[in-house]
């Protein structure tokens, strides 16, 4: 017995258009969201989605976009907080002279007592009697050592302080103080002395490379007025404070000049937002350099650019560009003046009733007057 099974024909499937991108995906949107009447809507922040490129699909990768992070201030240079300038203990120069004289006199008397003083010296002195000639014994050697040490310490510790100079003293690696006194004084000869110039100083830099906000290469010369305020930090807290100041100026110069363009088109009316405003540039540069140099004991009074020019490799191009901009501005000014003159002439002729012109005649008159004015000025060729 055979059973016949009738097969119902399947409905034809609607062909779906081919995907343009192989990894295409669709998302269903609920219908009730399309007809919401709520006025207040809740904004949900969406994190940026990053899709990598897949081989063979032809899909272009998306750029990774992240939220801009909080700008953090630059950390200030840190120096040992205990390293602060303090006055050193010194004695007047008279004390050193007296000690040295006593040491020399003690050596002479010891030599006379031992009988080793030359006869010529005895004859020259005139007041010394004949030496007892006791000979050099342990006691006399000890007297020699004491008198010699006193003389060396007395004369060896003499130093001369000058106006605008200071001595930074150190003993066995420890800071012992700073001497800012002037004149003759006595300093312990065992300490290490470092002379520091504390006068107001001017430093003119060599042409430093920099770029403006448009990336144009520049050469800038800066004049810095500064002095050493804390000798301990400037000498012991950093290896070379002059080289450190140069690097601070170069870094601050790069930060300040990169914010503004070197020049603006001649037609622009605002000139303050460029590097031509040397007063604002000097103020920003001084503030940055002073903040960087203060922790190491340097006081910066002013840092101002004395010359800002284009780098040699772009100077010729920028000069031609400037000349072209000036020429275009001049031409625009001349054309505006000609158009105003033609308009004023046609308006006066018409309003006074000297001529009655239709549109064609008006256009012809405007053309003739324009040609005449431009030819008379000799600035624009028709």
């Amino acid at each position: 017995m055979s059973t016949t099974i009738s097969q119902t024909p399947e409905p034809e499937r609607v062909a779906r258009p081919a995907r343009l991108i192989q990894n295409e995906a669709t998302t269903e949107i609920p219908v009730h969201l399309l007809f919401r009447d709520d006025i207040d809507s809740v904004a949900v922040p969406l994190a940026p989605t990053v899709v990598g490129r897949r081989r063979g699909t032809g899909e272009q990768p998306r750029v990774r976009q992240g939220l801009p992070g909080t700008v953090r201030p630059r950390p200030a240079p840190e120096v040992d907080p205990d390293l602060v300038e303090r006055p050193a203990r010194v004695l007047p120069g008279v004390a050193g002279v007296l000690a040295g004289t006593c040491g020399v006199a003690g050596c002479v008397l010891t030599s006379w007592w031992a009988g080793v003083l030359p006869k010529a010296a005895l004859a020259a002195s005139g007041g010394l009697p004949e030496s007892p000639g006791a000979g050099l014994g342990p006691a006399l050697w000890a007297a020699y050592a004491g008198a010699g040490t006193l003389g060396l310490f007395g004369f060896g510790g003499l130093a001369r302080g000058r106006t605008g100079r200071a001595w930074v003293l150190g003993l066995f690696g420890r800071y012992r103080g700073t001497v800012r006194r002037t004149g003759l004084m006595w300093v312990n000869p065992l300490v290490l002395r470092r002379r520091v110039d504390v006068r107001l100083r001017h430093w003119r830099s060599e042409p430093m490379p920099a770029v403006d906000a448009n990336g144009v290469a520049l050469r800038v010369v800066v004049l810095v007025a500064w002095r050493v305020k804390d000798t301990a930090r400037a000498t012991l807290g950093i290896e070379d404070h002059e080289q450190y100041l140069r690097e601070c100026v170069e870094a601050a110069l790069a930060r300040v000049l990169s914010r503004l363009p070197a020049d603006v088109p001649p037609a622009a009316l605002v000139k303050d937002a460029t590097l031509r405003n040397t007063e604002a540039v000097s103020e920003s540069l001084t503030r940055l350099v002073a903040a960087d140099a203060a922790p190491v004991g340097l006081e910066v009074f002013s840092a101002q650019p004395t010359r800002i020019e284009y780098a040699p490799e772009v100077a010729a191009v920028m000069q031609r560009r400037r000349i072209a901009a000036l020429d275009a501005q001049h031409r625009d000014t001349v054309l505006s003046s000609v158009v105003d003159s033609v308009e004023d002439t046609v308006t006066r002729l018409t309003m006074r009733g000297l001529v009655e012109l239709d549109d064609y005649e008006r256009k012809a008159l405007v053309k003739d007057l324009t040609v005449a004015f431009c030819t008379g000025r000799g600035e624009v060729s028709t």
Side-chain angles (χ1 to χ4, degrees):
M1 182 177 181
S2 62
T3 305
T4 303
I5 301 175
S6 61
Q7 297 181 358
T8 305
E10 298 179 359
E12 296 182 358
R13 297 182 179 178
V14 179
R16 183 182 180 182
R19 295 180 179 178
L20 298 179
I21 302 176
Q22 296 297 328
N23 63 344
E24 180 185 3
T26 59
T27 304
E28 295 181 0
I29 302 176
V31 178
H32 67 280
L33 294 180
L34 300 177
F35 302 94
R36 292 188 59 181
D37 295 330
D38 298 340
I39 299 177
D40 298 334
S41 60
V42 181
V44 180
L46 299 178
T49 305
V50 179
V51 180
R53 181 173 182 175
R54 297 184 180 181
R55 297 182 179 179
T57 61
E59 180 186 359
Q60 298 297 329
R62 297 183 182 178
V63 180
R64 295 179 178 269
Q65 298 179 354
L67 296 177
T70 305
V71 179
R72 299 180 180 179
R74 297 187 308 108
E78 296 181 359
V79 185
D80 186 5
D82 298 333
L83 188 60
V84 181
E85 179 181 337
R86 61 177 182 272
R89 297 179 180 178
V90 295
L91 297 177
V94 179
V97 173
L98 291 178
T101 304
C102 292
V104 172
C107 291
V108 172
L109 290 177
T110 303
S111 300
W112 172 80
W113 184 263
V116 296
L117 194 66
K119 294 182 179 181
L122 291 175
S125 63
L128 286 177
E130 293 291 335
S131 62
L136 293 175
L140 294 180
W141 282 113
Y144 263 125
T149 303
L150 182 61
L152 291 177
F153 264 76
F155 289 117
L158 293 177
R160 183 180 62 176
R162 298 181 180 179
T163 303
R165 304 293 178 90
W167 294 93
V168 178
L169 308 182
L171 181 61
F172 304 118
R174 291 188 59 186
Y175 172 62
R176 306 301 297 176
T178 300
V179 180
R180 289 180 178 262
R181 295 177 56 179
T182 59
L184 187 64
M185 56 188 170
W186 183 87
V187 184
N188 186 357
L190 297 180
V191 299
L192 179 63
R193 310 175 191 176
R194 296 184 181 182
R195 178 171 291 181
V196 182
D197 192 346
V198 294
R199 296 174 296 179
L200 180 64
R201 304 168 66 182
H202 287 75
W203 171 63
R204 185 183 181 91
S205 70
E206 65 281 357
M208 294 184 176
V211 294
D212 65 349
N214 298 326
V216 180
L218 304 173
R219 291 292 184 272
V220 186
V221 178
V222 184
L223 180 64
V224 183
W226 65 284
R227 71 171 181 176
V228 176
K229 184 178 181 180
D230 193 317
T231 56
R233 292 190 173 186
T235 307
L236 305 177
I238 193 171
E239 183 177 0
D240 188 351
H241 60 273
E242 295 184 0
Q243 182 65 27
Y244 179 79
L245 179 62
R246 291 188 182 93
E247 295 177 356
C248 288
V249 170
E250 187 173 359
L253 193 65
R255 294 173 57 191
V256 172
L257 267 63
S258 61
R259 301 175 183 174
L260 300 174
D263 204 349
V264 294
L269 299 178
V270 181
K271 304 294 183 182
D272 294 340
T274 63
L275 298 180
R276 292 186 181 184
N277 191 357
T278 56
E279 184 176 356
V281 174
S282 301
E283 183 180 355
S284 301
L285 189 61
T286 302
R287 184 171 59 255
L288 291 178
V289 176
D292 291 341
V296 296
L298 303 181
E299 185 177 7
V300 178
F301 297 96
S302 66
Q304 51 187 350
T306 59
R307 188 174 72 224
I308 301 178
E309 59 186 9
Y310 294 109
E313 58 270 16
V314 299
V317 177
M318 298 306 296
Q319 184 178 7
R320 290 195 298 267
R321 180 180 177 183
R322 179 66 177 173
I323 293 175
L326 290 174
D327 185 63
Q329 181 190 14
H330 184 65
R331 288 176 178 272
D332 183 69
T333 303
V334 171
L335 288 176
S336 299
S337 177
V338 169
V339 171
D340 293 341
S341 300
V342 171
E343 182 182 5
D344 184 58
T345 301
V346 174
T347 303
R348 289 185 178 184
L349 291 176
T350 305
M351 294 185 64
R352 292 183 181 182
L354 299 178
V355 293
E356 294 182 0
L357 304 173
D358 55 8
D359 292 341
Y360 178 78
E361 293 175 346
R362 180 185 294 273
K363 293 179 181 179
L365 180 59
V366 169
K367 179 179 179 181
D368 295 339
L369 290 176
T370 304
V371 173
F373 287 158
C374 291
T375 305
R377 289 178 178 267
E379 299 290 343
V380 181
S381 61
T382 57

